[in-house]
Amino acid sequence: MPLAPLARPALALGAGATVALALPPWGFWPLSIVGVVLFGIALGSAPSPRDCARLGWLFGAGWMYLGMGWMVQLTVPGYLIAAAIFAGFHAAAAAVSPSGPWSAIGRPAAHAAVEAVRFSFPFGGVPLASMGIAQVSGPLAGVARVGGVIVLTWLVFQLGFAIAALVDRRAAPAPWQREAPAVAGLVAVAFVIGVSTVAPTGTPTGDTLRIAAVQGGGQQGTSALDVPSSVVTERHLEATATIAADPDLDLVFWPENTMDVDRFEGSQPAALITEQAARLGVPISVGLTEDVITDDGSRRFTNAQVVVTPDGEITSRYDKVRRVPFGEYVPFRGVIERITSAVDRVGEAVAGTDPAVIELPTGERLATVISWEVFFGGRAREGVKLGAEAIINPTNGASYTGTIVQTQQVASSRLRAIETGRWLVQAAPTGFTAFVSPDGEVAQRSSQRDQIVITRTIELRTGNTWYTSLGDGPFIVALLALLAIAIWRGRPPGDVRFRRGP
């Protein structure tokens, strides 16, 4: 499909913005596919690698700068740099992909592969604004239980690029052999969707857990420097005090960062929690920030979720493993602090090392992903593989105004529930607090800023989905194999680089 020289860059940038508009909070899931189709048309059937890289960067920029707008509130320089880097990933993917008919296979594999890289690099990855988050409300979400977000991402790219290839060839008719890769891509999409409808989803154990998720309420756009920790603790104690004693209640669940102490055990906040646990006769899982003195004498902190019984015993604890870059630690702090003193506002968290699971006194195991960790499929998967029968996500989005982070986090919670076949409970100080079913439906959700307790009985589940059993590794290898095959098959006729020796 012929396009004017300036139209291609504009279309690529607009295609990326279209993908971003499929994300929460704007979220209309078909726009992801539409955006990829437009990007495929912008690339055309045989552009130069240099042009592909330029158009790929514009596509990524339109997607990342809009979809990751939340990052401005964390670090403006980091936002500008991170979005540019991640757009560069898609520039590289576009540049290495083959042109011609086999682009319909190679491009989806390349762009899904660089998204897999983005989920883990740099600084442990930034897996927000992903295709999976956008698709969780649509009919393709069930694919996550087969191959997680990576396969779901590939599926969207494959569908979009195949449609774009067929549209281009309708404008310039070609022999059916040239359309075969695009048609094969659509067949593969249909096959994966079909498989997802019969893939295992886990099974109920027959037992249930009645959980009261506590949201203390308050203003958003605030930090620990703006609102004393004691105020946050008090709000959650007030909300917990409204819970009536109930013989069917099994657990009270507090969000992340609701207590800030030098040492929790034996502290006054611990005594207040124990008092409420004793009144209700059930354990309380509470999120706390606890000071740590490292071996070199520096003062740091750990972000943990603990279980406190009615007699005041701490029976289980999980310390957050995946820390938020520029939020809970500063990469290259020594270099950056020479440029700006703003890094002094960011503490240095100590990463935990234990598996992502806590155990209740009655023996139930809960996969525990604290805040940021819910964006990483491997964290919840780890807990479920260790026998977790449900998932909890204590979080704290109070630092962010608007709803970009909060709605993308609920969408990520929905993905984690689908991937593992487990109920997921999310609790936040200022919202959103929610219960999510194993098929990804939001059964209950709070409003933002409200002080509220939402209570629900969830079924405990066992058994593994295919994603829980396999993880991401096999699918990343498959993407790279697809890309290699597409590059080999898409080589120009007579290209001596692919010939054997004489």
Side-chain angles (χ1 to χ4, degrees), residues 81-227:
I81 294 169
I85 290 172
F86 296 143
F89 286 7
H90 287 280
V96 303
S97 298
S99 59
W102 279 90
S103 65
I105 299 296
R107 285 172 181 167
H111 287 277
V114 297
E115 279 294 276
V117 173
R118 180 168 75 90
F119 296 164
S120 59
F121 176 84
F123 313 132
V126 182
L128 280 87
S130 73
M131 292 288 190
I133 290 174
Q135 292 301 311
V136 73
S137 295
L140 306 180
V143 169
R145 68 175 59 96
V146 175
V149 174
I150 289 174
V151 171
L152 187 52
T153 300
W154 164 81
L155 187 141
V156 173
F157 275 116
Q158 182 61 76
L159 184 57
F161 278 125
I163 293 172
L166 294 174
V167 167
D168 259 358
R169 286 164 198 158
R170 289 292 174 262
W176 70 268
Q177 293 93 333
R178 290 181 59 81
E179 296 184 350
V183 173
L186 292 178
V187 170
V189 166
F191 175 77
V192 172
I193 294 173
V195 166
S196 72
T197 64
V198 297
T201 61
T203 56
T205 65
D207 295 324
T208 60
L209 204 64
R210 188 161 180 80
I211 300 176
V214 180
Q215 179 174 301
Q219 293 300 312
Q220 292 188 295
T222 60
S223 70
L225 300 177
D226 302 318
V227 179

Side-chain angles (χ1 to χ4, degrees), residues 147-463:
V149 174
I150 289 174
V151 171
L152 187 52
T153 300
W154 164 81
L155 187 141
V156 173
F157 275 116
Q158 182 61 76
L159 184 57
F161 278 125
I163 293 172
L166 294 174
V167 167
D168 259 358
R169 286 164 198 158
R170 289 292 174 262
W176 70 268
Q177 293 93 333
R178 290 181 59 81
E179 296 184 350
V183 173
L186 292 178
V187 170
V189 166
F191 175 77
V192 172
I193 294 173
V195 166
S196 72
T197 64
V198 297
T201 61
T203 56
T205 65
D207 295 324
T208 60
L209 204 64
R210 188 161 180 80
I211 300 176
V214 180
Q215 179 174 301
Q219 293 300 312
Q220 292 188 295
T222 60
S223 70
L225 300 177
D226 302 318
V227 179
S229 173
S230 59
V231 173
V232 178
T233 301
E234 183 179 341
R235 286 175 179 158
H236 285 81
L237 285 169
E238 288 173 355
T240 303
T242 67
I243 303 173
D246 180 356
D248 294 327
L249 186 64
D250 297 300
L251 177 68
V252 174
F253 174 35
W254 278 33
E256 176 192 31
N257 302 148
T258 45
M259 291 189 170
D260 187 355
V261 293
D262 290 338
R263 178 176 171 80
F264 181 70
E265 191 171 2
S267 67
Q268 179 63 19
L272 295 172
I273 284 288
T274 299
E275 181 181 328
Q276 287 297 320
R279 179 181 70 83
L280 295 170
V282 298
I284 298 179
S285 176
V286 58
L288 58 92
T289 302
E290 193 173 48
D291 288 347
V292 175
I293 304 299
T294 61
D295 293 339
D296 63 4
S298 60
R299 193 179 188 87
R300 300 188 179 184
F301 69 93
T302 183
N303 186 345
Q305 193 75 15
V306 300
V307 176
V308 182
T309 65
D311 61 5
E313 185 182 358
I314 301 170
T315 59
S316 191
R317 174 175 178 138
Y318 168 69
D319 291 271
K320 187 177 183 180
V321 172
R322 280 193 177 268
R323 303 165 296 165
V324 182
F326 303 101
E328 291 176 312
Y329 78 103
V330 178
F332 311 117
R333 179 184 287 270
V335 174
I336 296 175
E337 64 187 3
R338 296 175 186 172
I339 303 171
T340 174
S341 61
V343 295
D344 295 339
R345 294 174 59 90
V346 180
E348 196 75 12
V350 176
T353 57
D354 292 334
V357 67
I358 61 173
E359 187 169 326
L360 301 184
T362 45
E364 298 89 350
R365 305 195 103 195
L366 304 176
T368 305
V369 288
I370 298 178
S371 189
W372 177 249
E373 294 183 315
V374 79
F375 293 103
F376 299 85
R379 299 306 300 149
R381 174 176 173 263
E382 178 185 76
V384 170
K385 284 180 68 70
L386 290 171
E389 301 158 299
I391 304 169
I392 59 171
N393 173 225
T395 188
N396 181 8
S399 298
Y400 303 99
T401 55
T403 60
I404 296 178
V405 168
Q406 291 87 343
T407 53
Q408 290 193 20
Q409 180 158 359
V410 172
S412 293
S413 290
R414 296 172 68 182
L415 281 172
R416 302 294 85 83
I418 295 170
E419 287 170 351
T420 60
R422 299 292 190 271
W423 275 87
L424 186 147
V425 189
Q426 176 179 315
T430 60
F432 296 112
T433 296
F435 285 82
V436 180
S437 72
D439 60 3
E441 294 300 315
V442 178
Q444 285 179 271
R445 196 190 79 173
S446 71
S447 298
Q448 289 183 293
R449 298 182 292 278
D450 288 350
Q451 185 179 75
I452 191 172
V453 177
I454 58 174
T455 303
R456 190 176 187 89
T457 300
I458 64 172
E459 64 179 10
L460 300 178
R461 295 172 65 84
T462 189

